[in-house]
Amino acid sequence: MTNEVYLDANATSPALPAAIAAAVDAMQTRFGNPSSIHAAGLRARALLDDARAVAGRVIGVGDGDVIFTSGATEAIQTAVLSALCDVRERQIKGEAVGELLLYGATEHKAVPECLAHWNRILGTGLAVQALAVDADGLHKLDELQTLAPRAALVCTMAANNETGVVSDLAAIEAVLNEHAPRALWLVDCVQALGKLPLQLSATRIDYAPFSGHKLYAPKGIGMLYVRRGAPFTPLMKGGGQEDGLRSGTENMAGIAALGAVLHALEDGQGFRLPHDLYRLRDQLAAALSVAFPGLVFNMPFERSLPTVLNFCVPGASSNDLLKLFDAAGVRLSAGSACSAAKAAPSHVLGAMGLADARAGSAVRLSFSPTATDDFIDAACARIARCGAALARHAPPPVEGKAPSPVLVDRGDADIHIEDLAAFLQQHPDARLIDVREAFEHAAGAQPEWHGRQVDNLPLSAFEGQIELCLAEPQRALLLFCRSGNRSLDALCMLRAAGHANVYHLAGGLALATR
Ligand code: PLP
């Protein structure tokens, strides 16, 4: 199989080798509990203090706090809970607190969902209202001016996860200073870390959540910046860790790993300079435009992070494009990773005024700020291959698919990747059939697998092939696709037609790729 070209960094990133080493060290050598007063505990405490210190320098916390959390979602909950508890106390005292919880229309769902949740649980009774963005994805400042005087809390992200659009935080701050001097301000900095300079204590930002796994640390670690003097209510009470701000024994492996990433960022180790990243993004954009005639970008280049491209290809759905790229070993996504499982068009592109049809066919490409020139060259070569495959084989029109017959007893029909070699040995004349669409098969450039020829019989035209497959009932058939779903459909069709000697690769090629 081809090696993977991972271009979905805004969804998550692999851990940096230094982060893995630091996590292992925190589990093996400096494994103490940082609350213990013996030497093992003190060694862990030093590690924790060091991670907090480097975080403080990288994001410029000044006299504010950095609290380690399980990720950005927890950091957002903590910030919103803190703000709303303050609102409630002031409501009880009869103070005017404003009636709106305002959030940018393109925020990650973690923000509005959290606002609605805690507003309901705490009974604060504020209106959760979206602040519109313009066609470039920038917050409408005139609307902010109108709404800000009524806002108790304003939430605006630093950079958008789907489009990379960088908010004009200085302009937002100016509006808040003039029109909402008492409103609290949360800025989701998840996608900004490592890509934009941050000096939080120089701003009036009250809360800023971060996520480790978006920048080479493992999943399950994040942090929250809290401005000195900003209201605070712990989300988790218990043993009093994190100075009582977030109880629970610290995730030391995660904290050590995040600390290692932040040290690398501080020292510039491997992190590319902005002008290099812009050059790499432009190279990818040019490769895409050549490979897919008519391709349109859905973000303003001059107002976006240098590591993100969001685009549509006329005549191809996002699903088609993701399958095409996936077949070529290129991993990217349609919108955010969290909404990938929901088929709805992107709310971010919708808020920027894109019609549903276009918002529903968008694809996001995002790379990490340590990407090398060689990596981007390899990505461009794959993009060219994908373009050529799509030009040769148009995706089939989307039709209401007839339900496949349900196979009650699959028996031994599932072949798992670890059993594949043995299966092929037992069935030396087995026919390998790729049931993915022709454009995917071509992008995969895989005429052979395990030294055997591969035939392509796409599922969309599979019915027409059943008779031919039945003509050789003694010859085993091994069907495969990307995830194992389409091969199972085809298997059910053949078994229902009476072919007993047919198998499929359970879990698909995805599990065969490392
Ligand atoms: N905010 C933004 C902008 C994000 O992109 C994400 C993750 O996709 C989150 C918040 C949630 O982060 P976490 O996975 O650390 O909870």
Side-chain angles (χ1 to χ4, degrees):
M1 290 302 297
T2 49
N3 319 324
E4 207 161 63
V5 174
Y6 186 77
L7 290 171
D8 201 12
N10 282 13
T12 198
S13 55
L16 214 58
I20 296 171
V24 170
D25 175 61
M27 289 186 284
Q28 262 179 354
T29 312
R30 287 189 278 176
F31 61 85
N33 184 327
S35 298
S36 301
I37 56 169
H38 48 60
L42 294 178
R43 286 195 294 271
R45 167 64 57 184
L47 203 158
L48 179 61
D49 291 345
D50 175 67
R52 203 184 315 279
V54 68
R57 292 194 298 275
V58 167
I59 63 174
V61 295
D63 58 359
D65 282 314
V66 171
I67 302 159
F68 290 112
T69 63
S70 63
T73 301
E74 184 194 324
I76 293 167
Q77 309 296 309
T78 308
V80 168
L81 175 70
S82 297
L84 288 186
C85 284
D86 179 63
V87 164
R88 202 176 53 169
E89 277 168 29
R90 286 162 55 201
Q91 282 174 334
I92 291 168
K93 286 191 213 149
E95 290 177 23
V97 288
E99 74 263 23
L100 295 183
L101 296 173
L102 206 55
Y103 67 95
T106 57
E107 289 294 304
H108 187 279
K109 285 291 175 199
V111 170
E113 292 292 323
C114 174
L115 291 172
H117 179 69
W118 289 107
N119 189 39
R120 187 172 54 77
I121 297 223
L122 296 173
T124 29
L126 306 190
V128 180
Q129 182 159 337
L131 168 67
V133 297
D134 63 17
D136 278 347
L138 293 166
H139 301 92
K140 287 192 171 165
L141 295 176
D142 50 346
E143 191 165 306
L144 179 62
Q145 251 178 48
T146 312
L147 296 172
R150 295 164 49 212
L153 171 64
V154 178
C155 305
T156 54
M157 64 200 331
N160 186 268
N161 47 307
E162 291 188 29
T163 57
V165 170
V166 177
S167 301
D168 188 347
L169 294 181
I172 293 170
E173 179 162 6
V175 173
L176 294 183
N177 285 343
E178 195 181 337
H179 298 275
R182 290 213 60 187
L184 294 165
W185 189 20
L186 181 159
V187 177
D188 178 338
C189 288
V190 166
Q191 299 292 350
L193 187 65
K195 301 158 203 165
L196 294 176
L198 293 168
Q199 193 57 46
L200 294 173
S201 63
T203 71
R204 70 168 263 187
I205 294 169
D206 294 289
Y207 309 103
F210 294 88
S211 174
H213 74 99
K214 306 290 181 177
L215 196 73
Y216 305 120
K219 291 151 196 72
I221 185 66
M223 52 186 187
L224 175 65
Y225 159 79
V226 183
R227 188 182 56 74
R228 187 178 184 84
F232 192 84
T233 297
L235 178 68
M236 321 240 289
K237 277 301 255 188
Q241 288 86 350
E242 295 287 278
D243 268 340
L245 303 179
R246 197 269 188 187
S247 285
T249 301
E250 295 85 347
N251 168 5
M252 291 305 296
I255 290 170
L258 179 57
V261 172
L262 294 171
H263 273 296
L265 180 57
E266 183 177 42
D267 301 343
Q269 283 165 25
F271 282 80
R272 308 295 301 266
L273 293 170
H275 69 266
D276 284 329
L277 293 174
Y278 282 115
R279 177 175 55 76
L280 298 179
R281 181 187 68 173
D282 291 348
Q283 189 186 337
L284 286 165
L288 284 166
S289 297
V290 170
F292 301 98
L295 177 143
V296 278
F297 290 102
N298 301 320
M299 17 66 75
F301 275 61
E302 64 293 349
R303 303 300 315 246
S304 300
L305 290 178
T307 50
V308 186
L309 290 166
N310 190 305
F311 59 90
C312 296
V313 174
S317 69
S318 19
N319 202 15
D320 290 335
L321 292 171
L322 294 191
K323 285 181 187 164
L324 171 74
F325 281 106
D326 215 29
V330 179
R331 315 296 174 220
L332 23 74
S333 69
S336 76
C338 316
S339 57
K342 308 169 196 151
S346 151
H347 76 281
V348 172
L349 298 178
M352 289 164 69
L354 265 66
D356 269 6
R358 185 156 151 204
S361 64
V363 169
R364 172 185 74 185
L365 178 162
S366 50
F367 59 97
S368 293
T370 60
T372 61
D373 287 17
D374 284 351
F375 172 78
I376 298 295
D377 287 346
C380 290
R382 298 280 179 100
I383 287 169
R385 192 162 98 200
C386 290
L390 195 67
R392 254 181 295 134
H393 307 279
V398 190
E399 284 164 10
K401 190 169 80 76
S404 301
V406 180
L407 210 59
V408 181
D409 177 14
R410 295 225 293 271
D412 60 353
D414 286 356
I415 303 302
H416 296 276
I417 188 65
E418 53 278 13
D419 303 326
L420 181 62
F423 171 86
L424 292 175
Q425 220 170 17
Q426 278 162 21
H427 300 85
D429 67 339
R431 189 176 169 206
L432 301 190
I433 301 181
D434 180 358
V435 302
R436 294 174 300 171
E437 296 307 317
F439 66 94
E440 296 171 78
H441 182 74
Q446 195 182 7
E448 284 197 348
W449 197 31
H450 284 265
R452 298 194 191 182
Q453 185 199 317
V454 173
D455 296 330
N456 181 215
L457 305 181
L459 184 68
S460 61
F462 202 76
E463 259 186 282
Q465 302 291 333
I466 292 178
E467 283 301 311
L468 280 174
C469 291
L470 288 172
E472 281 186 308
Q474 72 295 345
R475 188 173 176 198
L477 303 180
L478 178 68
L479 314 177
F480 66 88
C481 65
R482 196 171 68 95
S483 68
N485 289 338
R486 286 177 282 177
S487 55
L488 180 58
D489 277 357
L491 176 129
C492 291
M493 287 159 84
L494 283 175
R495 288 256 170 134
H499 199 311
N501 206 4
V502 52
Y503 307 85
H504 91 121
L505 186 65
L509 289 171
L511 303 189
T513 323
R514 290 275 171 264

